[in-house]
Amino acid sequence: MLPLVFAATLIAPAVGAAAEPRRVATRGDGIIRSPINAIPGPAPKLRIRQNEVQVENQRDGTRYGVEVEVGTPPQKVTLILDTGSPDTWVNPSCETANVPADCAAFPHFDYTQSSSLNETGVEDILVYGIGNATIQYVYETVTIGSATIENQIIGVATESHSIPLGILGVSPPVQGTNEYPYVLDTMAEQGLINSRAFSLDLRGVDNPNGAIIFGGIDTGKYIGELAKLPMLSPEESPGGADRYYVTMTGVGVTLPDGEVTQSEEINVAVFLDSGSTLSHLPTPIYQAFAEAFGDAQFDPTTGYYFVPCDVTELAGSVDFYFGSKAIRVPLNDFIWQVEGYCMLGILPNDDEPILGDTFLRAAYVVFDQDNRNIHIAQAANCDTNLVAIGSGADAVPSSTGQCTELPTPTGSSGGRQTLDVTATRAPTNTFTGTAPTGVAIGPGPKVSGTANVSPTATGNSAAGRGVEVGLGAVVLFGVVNVLASML
Ligand SMILES: *[C@@H]1O[C@H](CO)[C@@H](O)[C@H](O)[C@H]1NC(C)=O
Ligand SMILES: *[C@@H]1O[C@H](CO)[C@@H](O)[C@H](O)[C@H]1NC(C)=O
């Protein structure tokens, strides 16, 4: 079990309580805070290569988990927090997980012990960037922080591949329309939050106690103003998918001596995906970053660029620009450290560019699904001050972060150098060692091309999209036996 510090607070809004005087929104109203933790990978197998320092603490923040309670009486399970998919499900098959022992170390949900579970009889297959899960949809009670959601549709996996933990999905419907009410929808519908919005504070690799706050922001966790960026419509997004896409207008690198290099203005649609361990950016950007790290060695097998681990101790950052807002990711957070290896936190992707955990660790992000805006600021940690997100067009308060501004990089050579993200380059140094194996990375986004099944619509199987399972057995033996035969 992970040692989770649970400090959730919920003061339910007074909406609907007719006898009580109508309260104005006060601090804490409609806010659900839940800790979010970097889940370490399996026990480190340290292999020390030439020119590489040993990492004393394994800080391979490969996935970020939230502890939730499912069923009645409540059972604790840890789920991967995923802004790249909308569905929530439990019980991965550990035998076919990428690292079976890692998966088996987490508790599973025992459906036979829950009195609130209600079957839908509908099965679905969810396909992710890495892995897939066959689930049966059920209605269940789900508690996140101290907010209890009744009759939430979740999946109970009957089979899964390459996924070590269940998933708490908080993305918009990738296809554009809801198949059923997702967790964020139900929270708003049941009055637990004022609108479908949450903020995410993943935190740096050395600072494990991040949080997700449904219905609120914490002004003690960022610097300066939140920049409001419109979420791109599916028509504007690569692949026509509805995701948390925004326009990235530049990239750059701040060198340890403070010198800033920055690209020309670019216009790249990227989506923010907490379920992706690494960032996946267009090839010229990936190559430009690699070139900025003179020692990086390219591994043709995996596409990773290996760097000496002592680079993580240097000052400097990898920078991402959204209009006038710069998010500077410290090297320690951008470089992915796993099994004694250090790799740049980026891979190439020209089709659906992603800013994953190697970006999100340095950003404070508010996801406002109702207004289709993303608000973003440089993450920091100086206080705790929860402010509720209301409803309507200005739901997200324009509160200034309380943390102190980072020093503006000054640049030793007095000017901004250009990072060329237009050229294509061949890697100069090739990695000749053995890449790490058995790495448990995040699932990546839900694949947008798959037709989903709606557990609520009638005639699913008649439409040829869904698989209705276990109906006869439900009548004869009830829920438990149906599930038992599948699990
Ligand atoms: C399950 O669903 C049925 C039909 O909607 C309902 O009558 C029943 O109360 C539900 N049971 C639970 C435990 O929610
Ligand atoms: C799920 O993953 C397994 C293992 O990679 C694969 O054999 C299977 O075809 C996948 N199923 C779907 C529907 O993608």
Side-chain angles (χ1 to χ4, degrees):
M1 273 302 301
L2 286 177
L4 297 186
V5 183
F6 219 76
T9 53
L10 166 74
I11 303 168
V15 183
E20 284 183 34
R22 194 173 177 282
R23 285 156 50 197
V24 290
T26 53
R27 186 170 125 170
D29 272 16
I31 299 175
I32 300 158
R33 183 182 182 281
S34 179
I36 179 163
N37 290 267
I39 298 171
K45 289 171 253 138
L46 283 181
R47 279 172 247 147
I48 304 161
R49 291 187 298 112
Q50 224 183 340
N51 301 325
E52 195 171 77
V53 295
Q54 181 167 359
V55 190
E56 282 177 7
N57 299 311
Q58 285 298 304
R59 294 173 299 183
D60 51 349
T62 54
R63 296 148 297 163
Y64 285 84
V66 178
E67 196 169 274
V68 309
E69 292 177 332
V70 180
T72 309
Q75 299 177 37
K76 282 191 166 76
V77 293
T78 301
L79 304 179
I80 296 171
L81 190 273
D82 189 14
T83 63
S85 65
D87 308 279
T88 295
W89 60 272
V90 298
N91 289 7
S93 315
C94 287
E95 311 79 65
T96 47
N98 32 19
V99 184
D102 177 37
C103 170
F106 290 93
H108 274 46
F109 169 60
D110 181 353
Y111 52 84
T112 66
Q113 300 301 312
S114 175
S115 62
S116 49
L117 183 142
N118 218 344
E119 254 200 303
T120 67
V122 176
E123 189 175 87
D124 198 1
I125 301 179
L126 309 175
V127 181
Y128 298 87
I130 300 170
N132 61 58
T134 304
I135 56 163
Q136 177 169 356
Y137 289 112
V138 299
Y139 287 91
E140 246 311 4
T141 300
V142 178
T143 299
I144 302 177
S146 56
T148 297
I149 310 165
E150 310 282 356
N151 288 316
Q152 175 62 49
I153 294 174
I154 62 166
V156 176
T158 56
E159 184 182 335
S160 67
H161 296 274
S162 305
I163 301 180
L165 287 168
I167 290 177
L168 173 59
V170 287
S171 86
V174 177
Q175 320 292 333
T177 48
N178 274 51
E179 302 289 349
Y180 60 94
Y182 305 117
V183 165
L184 199 58
D185 302 313
T186 318
M187 277 184 173
E189 192 184 299
Q190 296 182 4
L192 299 168
I193 54 177
N194 298 317
S195 58
R196 295 179 305 162
F198 63 94
S199 56
L200 185 61
D201 172 27
L202 285 191
R203 222 53 89 65
V205 287
D206 295 328
N207 196 337
N209 300 315
I212 180 167
I213 303 174
F214 293 96
I217 63 175
D218 184 347
T219 64
K221 296 295 184 289
Y222 60 92
I223 294 167
E225 307 296 327
L226 287 162
K228 177 161 131 184
L229 312 173
M231 231 173 103
L232 302 183
S233 69
E235 294 72 41
E236 297 166 308
S237 304
D242 197 10
R243 303 189 186 279
Y244 291 122
Y245 265 111
V246 294
T247 301
M248 179 172 77
T249 58
V251 294
V253 174
T254 302
L255 301 178
D257 66 2
E259 185 179 337
V260 171
T261 65
Q262 193 178 333
S263 70
E264 298 296 323
E265 188 171 330
I266 54 176
N267 215 297
V268 178
V270 287
F271 77 95
L272 306 178
D273 184 15
S274 64
S276 286
T277 302
L278 304 181
S279 295
H280 300 250
L281 293 173
T283 305
I285 297 178
Y286 155 81
Q287 290 176 339
F289 279 143
E291 196 177 72
F293 290 80
D295 295 331
Q297 296 184 341
F298 175 69
D299 178 18
T301 315
T302 58
Y304 293 137
Y305 274 96
F306 290 85
V307 292
C309 285
D310 44 11
V311 172
T312 61
E313 290 158 26
L314 299 175
S317 58
V318 173
D319 308 329
F320 299 87
Y321 297 86
F322 305 87
S324 58
K325 179 65 82 181
I327 303 294
R328 300 186 196 283
V329 183
L331 299 183
N332 192 33
D333 288 324
F334 182 72
I335 290 169
W336 187 40
Q337 304 175 46
V338 61
E339 291 188 19
Y341 292 87
C342 288
M343 295 157 252
L344 299 185
I346 183 171
L347 285 171
N349 187 330
D350 296 302
D351 300 325
E352 287 200 306
I354 296 170
L355 290 175
D357 298 338
T358 53
F359 166 81
L360 289 169
R361 280 197 273 273
Y364 192 87
V365 186
V366 187
F367 299 81
D368 179 358
Q369 235 187 68
D370 276 355
N371 293 302
R372 298 190 64 87
N373 287 317
I374 305 279
H375 303 249
I376 194 165
Q378 182 82 35
N381 181 21
C382 56
D383 195 6
T384 298
N385 178 43
L386 301 184
V387 180
I389 297 173
S391 54
D394 299 315
V396 175
S398 55
S399 306
T400 305
Q402 289 161 242
C403 304
T404 311
E405 203 67 50
L406 296 179
T408 309
T410 47
S412 58
S413 58
R416 296 203 158 190
Q417 307 292 310
T418 300
L419 185 72
D420 184 355
V421 293
T422 54
T424 45
R425 319 158 156 85
T428 43
N429 305 319
T430 303
F431 175 72
T432 51
T434 311
T437 54
V439 175
I441 64 171
K446 184 174 181 178
V447 172
S448 57
T450 53
N452 256 36
V453 180
S454 167
T456 51
T458 51
N460 248 321
S461 50
R465 298 175 63 214
V467 190
E468 281 212 49
V469 290
L471 283 180
V474 172
V475 173
L476 290 173
F477 309 116
V479 168
V480 169
N481 287 339
V482 174
L483 286 167
S485 68
M486 301 187 302
L487 290 167

